[in-house]
PDB file of all heavy atoms in Angstrom:
ATOM      1  N   ASP A 356      68.402 373.285 118.489  1.00 92.00           N
ATOM      2  CA  ASP A 356      68.943 372.247 117.609  1.00 92.00           C
ATOM      3  C   ASP A 356      70.394 371.967 118.036  1.00 92.00           C
ATOM      4  O   ASP A 356      71.339 372.454 117.436  1.00 92.00           O
ATOM      5  CB  ASP A 356      68.874 372.778 116.167  1.00 92.00           C
ATOM      6  CG  ASP A 356      69.338 371.723 115.200  1.00 92.00           C
ATOM      7  OD1 ASP A 356      69.406 370.550 115.592  1.00 92.00           O
ATOM      8  OD2 ASP A 356      69.661 372.093 114.044  1.00 92.00           O
ATOM      9  N   THR A 357      70.524 371.199 119.097  1.00 88.00           N
ATOM     10  CA  THR A 357      71.868 371.040 119.674  1.00 88.00           C
ATOM     11  C   THR A 357      72.142 369.583 120.037  1.00 88.00           C
ATOM     12  O   THR A 357      72.509 369.278 121.167  1.00 88.00           O
ATOM     13  CB  THR A 357      72.000 371.882 120.958  1.00 88.00           C
ATOM     14  OG1 THR A 357      70.867 371.611 121.767  1.00 88.00           O
ATOM     15  CG2 THR A 357      72.098 373.352 120.694  1.00 88.00           C
ATOM     16  N   LYS A 358      71.948 368.695 119.085  1.00 90.00           N
ATOM     17  CA  LYS A 358      72.191 367.284 119.412  1.00 90.00           C
ATOM     18  C   LYS A 358      73.666 366.974 119.176  1.00 90.00           C
ATOM     19  O   LYS A 358      74.132 366.923 118.043  1.00 90.00           O
ATOM     20  CB  LYS A 358      71.295 366.399 118.542  1.00 90.00           C
ATOM     21  CG  LYS A 358      71.199 364.987 119.055  1.00 90.00           C
ATOM     22  CD  LYS A 358      70.011 364.283 118.402  1.00 90.00           C
ATOM     23  CE  LYS A 358      69.676 362.955 119.029  1.00 90.00           C
ATOM     24  NZ  LYS A 358      70.660 361.952 118.993  1.00 90.00           N
ATOM     25  N   LEU A 359      74.381 366.795 120.254  1.00 96.00           N
ATOM     26  CA  LEU A 359      75.817 366.515 120.124  1.00 96.00           C
ATOM     27  C   LEU A 359      76.034 365.096 119.622  1.00 96.00           C
ATOM     28  O   LEU A 359      75.231 364.201 119.909  1.00 96.00           O
ATOM     29  CB  LEU A 359      76.502 366.678 121.492  1.00 96.00           C
ATOM     30  CG  LEU A 359      76.589 368.104 122.026  1.00 96.00           C
ATOM     31  CD1 LEU A 359      77.056 368.107 123.476  1.00 96.00           C
ATOM     32  CD2 LEU A 359      77.519 368.949 121.180  1.00 96.00           C
ATOM     33  N   PRO A 360      77.130 364.872 118.905  1.00 96.00           N
ATOM     34  CA  PRO A 360      77.379 363.517 118.388  1.00 96.00           C
ATOM     35  C   PRO A 360      77.572 362.500 119.510  1.00 96.00           C
ATOM     36  O   PRO A 360      78.003 362.837 120.608  1.00 96.00           O
ATOM     37  CB  PRO A 360      78.672 363.673 117.589  1.00 96.00           C
ATOM     38  CG  PRO A 360      79.211 365.010 117.887  1.00 96.00           C
ATOM     39  CD  PRO A 360      78.149 365.836 118.514  1.00 96.00           C
ATOM     40  N   GLN A 361      77.239 361.256 119.206  1.00 95.00           N
ATOM     41  CA  GLN A 361      77.407 360.154 120.146  1.00 95.00           C
ATOM     42  C   GLN A 361      78.885 360.013 120.525  1.00 95.00           C
ATOM     43  O   GLN A 361      79.238 359.866 121.680  1.00 95.00           O
ATOM     44  CB  GLN A 361      76.894 358.872 119.455  1.00 95.00           C
ATOM     45  CG  GLN A 361      76.544 357.746 120.394  1.00 95.00           C
ATOM     46  CD  GLN A 361      75.462 358.166 121.399  1.00 95.00           C
ATOM     47  OE1 GLN A 361      74.532 358.915 121.064  1.00 95.00           O
ATOM     48  NE2 GLN A 361      75.615 357.727 122.627  1.00 95.00           N
ATOM     49  N   GLU A 362      79.700 360.042 119.483  1.00 94.00           N
ATOM     50  CA  GLU A 362      81.147 359.863 119.674  1.00 94.00           C
ATOM     51  C   GLU A 362      81.770 361.140 120.205  1.00 94.00           C
ATOM     52  O   GLU A 362      81.497 362.231 119.706  1.00 94.00           O
ATOM     53  CB  GLU A 362      81.798 359.557 118.315  1.00 94.00           C
ATOM     54  CG  GLU A 362      81.696 358.120 117.873  1.00 94.00           C
ATOM     55  CD  GLU A 362      82.363 357.163 118.847  1.00 94.00           C
ATOM     56  OE1 GLU A 362      83.562 357.362 119.141  1.00 94.00           O
ATOM     57  OE2 GLU A 362      81.668 356.239 119.324  1.00 94.00           O
ATOM     58  N   GLN A 363      82.654 360.972 121.168  1.00 96.00           N
ATOM     59  CA  GLN A 363      83.353 362.133 121.707  1.00 96.00           C
ATOM     60  C   GLN A 363      84.246 362.757 120.630  1.00 96.00           C
ATOM     61  O   GLN A 363      84.996 362.035 119.968  1.00 96.00           O
ATOM     62  CB  GLN A 363      84.219 361.659 122.865  1.00 96.00           C
ATOM     63  CG  GLN A 363      84.802 362.761 123.650  1.00 96.00           C
ATOM     64  CD  GLN A 363      85.423 362.225 124.945  1.00 96.00           C
ATOM     65  OE1 GLN A 363      85.411 361.031 125.198  1.00 96.00           O
ATOM     66  NE2 GLN A 363      85.965 363.116 125.720  1.00 96.00           N
ATOM     67  N   PRO A 364      84.187 364.072 120.447  1.00 97.00           N
ATOM     68  CA  PRO A 364      85.024 364.702 119.415  1.00 97.00           C
ATOM     69  C   PRO A 364      86.519 364.435 119.632  1.00 97.00           C
ATOM     70  O   PRO A 364      86.978 364.302 120.755  1.00 97.00           O
ATOM     71  CB  PRO A 364      84.724 366.189 119.583  1.00 97.00           C
ATOM     72  CG  PRO A 364      83.398 366.225 120.249  1.00 97.00           C
ATOM     73  CD  PRO A 364      83.310 365.021 121.112  1.00 97.00           C
ATOM     74  N   LYS A 365      87.214 364.351 118.525  1.00 97.00           N
ATOM     75  CA  LYS A 365      88.651 364.031 118.601  1.00 97.00           C
ATOM     76  C   LYS A 365      89.485 365.299 118.813  1.00 97.00           C
ATOM     77  O   LYS A 365      88.987 366.409 118.618  1.00 97.00           O
ATOM     78  CB  LYS A 365      89.091 363.382 117.285  1.00 97.00           C
ATOM     79  CG  LYS A 365      88.418 362.069 117.014  1.00 97.00           C
ATOM     80  CD  LYS A 365      89.138 361.354 115.880  1.00 97.00           C
ATOM     81  CE  LYS A 365      88.587 359.956 115.637  1.00 97.00           C
ATOM     82  NZ  LYS A 365      87.138 359.801 115.783  1.00 97.00           N
ATOM     83  N   VAL A 366      90.731 365.080 119.169  1.00 98.00           N
ATOM     84  CA  VAL A 366      91.667 366.190 119.372  1.00 98.00           C
ATOM     85  C   VAL A 366      91.678 367.074 118.129  1.00 98.00           C
ATOM     86  O   VAL A 366      91.746 366.573 117.006  1.00 98.00           O
ATOM     87  CB  VAL A 366      93.088 365.647 119.628  1.00 98.00           C
ATOM     88  CG1 VAL A 366      94.115 366.775 119.620  1.00 98.00           C
ATOM     89  CG2 VAL A 366      93.140 364.890 120.944  1.00 98.00           C
ATOM     90  N   GLY A 367      91.593 368.374 118.339  1.00 94.00           N
ATOM     91  CA  GLY A 367      91.675 369.324 117.224  1.00 94.00           C
ATOM     92  C   GLY A 367      90.398 369.419 116.412  1.00 94.00           C
ATOM     93  O   GLY A 367      90.387 370.056 115.362  1.00 94.00           O
ATOM     94  N   GLU A 368      89.306 368.802 116.896  1.00 98.00           N
ATOM     95  CA  GLU A 368      88.038 368.909 116.152  1.00 98.00           C
ATOM     96  C   GLU A 368      86.960 369.459 117.078  1.00 98.00           C
ATOM     97  O   GLU A 368      86.057 368.725 117.498  1.00 98.00           O
ATOM     98  CB  GLU A 368      87.620 367.541 115.616  1.00 98.00           C
ATOM     99  CG  GLU A 368      88.559 367.015 114.556  1.00 98.00           C
ATOM    100  CD  GLU A 368      88.158 365.614 114.068  1.00 98.00           C
ATOM    101  OE1 GLU A 368      87.044 365.144 114.380  1.00 98.00           O
ATOM    102  OE2 GLU A 368      88.983 365.010 113.382  1.00 98.00           O
ATOM    103  N   PRO A 369      87.088 370.737 117.446  1.00 98.00           N
ATOM    104  CA  PRO A 369      86.090 371.293 118.373  1.00 98.00           C
ATOM    105  C   PRO A 369      84.688 371.286 117.772  1.00 98.00           C
ATOM    106  O   PRO A 369      84.542 371.391 116.542  1.00 98.00           O
ATOM    107  CB  PRO A 369      86.572 372.725 118.587  1.00 98.00           C
ATOM    108  CG  PRO A 369      87.557 373.020 117.548  1.00 98.00           C
ATOM    109  CD  PRO A 369      88.078 371.729 117.014  1.00 98.00           C
ATOM    110  N   ILE A 370      83.717 371.167 118.638  1.00 98.00           N
ATOM    111  CA  ILE A 370      82.321 371.267 118.186  1.00 98.00           C
ATOM    112  C   ILE A 370      81.748 372.553 118.757  1.00 98.00           C
ATOM    113  O   ILE A 370      81.778 372.767 119.973  1.00 98.00           O
ATOM    114  CB  ILE A 370      81.503 370.090 118.732  1.00 98.00           C
ATOM    115  CG1 ILE A 370      82.013 368.820 118.102  1.00 98.00           C
ATOM    116  CG2 ILE A 370      80.021 370.290 118.472  1.00 98.00           C
ATOM    117  CD1 ILE A 370      80.975 367.774 117.931  1.00 98.00           C
TER     118      ILE A 370
END
Side-chain angles (χ1 to χ4, degrees):
D356 184 16
T357 49
K358 196 164 191 299
L359 291 170
Q361 200 59 37
E362 278 300 305
Q363 190 169 1
K365 297 193 175 37
V366 171
E368 293 178 12
I370 294 211

